[in-house]
Amino acid sequence: MSQLPIKYEKFVRDGNFTADMRDSMFLAGLGLAGESGEVADIIKKHLLHGGHLDRAHLKEELGDVLWYLMHACNVFKIPISEVAHGNILKLCERYPNQYGDPADWYEIDEN
């Protein structure tokens, strides 16, 4: 499976166990920071300590980062497609030799 499930936004929203908006915001920010730290730790142990890169553990933690990112998008009512689009625009402007024209990063549906 190579595509993000179309119902992932709902999956994350349904899994939000926080009772109020303030708690949801805390969960988004702190959860994203915590899980990103776990990803960084796996990579650090591999690169600096010579440990085996545990790809299964890395994939699990990246999934947690994705969950918290989607949760943040839900909480702050920012569609993840807008986050991705804004990032494409920023990086194409900053690094045009590497990324080129933003339009090149979108598939055109010819149906």
Side-chain angles (χ1 to χ4, degrees), residues 23-38 61 64-69 71:
D23 288 349
S24 288
M25 289 179 186
F26 268 121
L27 181 65
L30 296 177
L32 191 53
E35 296 300 338
S36 296
E38 290 193 41
E61 297 304 334
D64 291 343
V65 169
L66 179 62
W67 192 95
Y68 282 105
L69 175 61
H71 175 66

Side-chain angles (χ1 to χ4, degrees), residues 12-84:
V12 172
R13 188 180 306 110
D14 288 353
N16 177 17
F17 56 86
T18 54
D20 63 42
M21 183 56 77
R22 185 171 186 269
D23 288 349
S24 288
M25 289 179 186
F26 268 121
L27 181 65
L30 296 177
L32 191 53
E35 296 300 338
S36 296
E38 290 193 41
V39 168
D41 196 52
I42 292 168
I43 295 168
K44 176 198 71 162
K45 287 178 181 175
H46 171 64
L47 293 176
L48 297 180
H49 303 293
H52 169 73
L53 179 60
D54 186 343
R55 294 179 63 81
H57 189 203
L58 180 60
K59 185 165 75 170
E60 178 183 330
E61 297 304 334
L62 286 169
D64 291 343
V65 169
L66 179 62
W67 192 95
Y68 282 105
L69 175 61
M70 189 74 251
H71 175 66
C73 288
N74 286 344
V75 167
F76 296 106
K77 298 184 181 348
I78 302 170
I80 199 161
S81 60
E82 287 182 17
V83 173

Side-chain angles (χ1 to χ4, degrees), residues 88-102 104-105:
I88 287 169
L89 293 177
K90 177 184 82 173
L91 292 174
C92 286
E93 182 178 322
R94 191 175 292 170
Y95 307 106
N97 292 335
Q98 183 174 351
Y99 292 107
D101 186 325
D104 295 340
W105 294 99

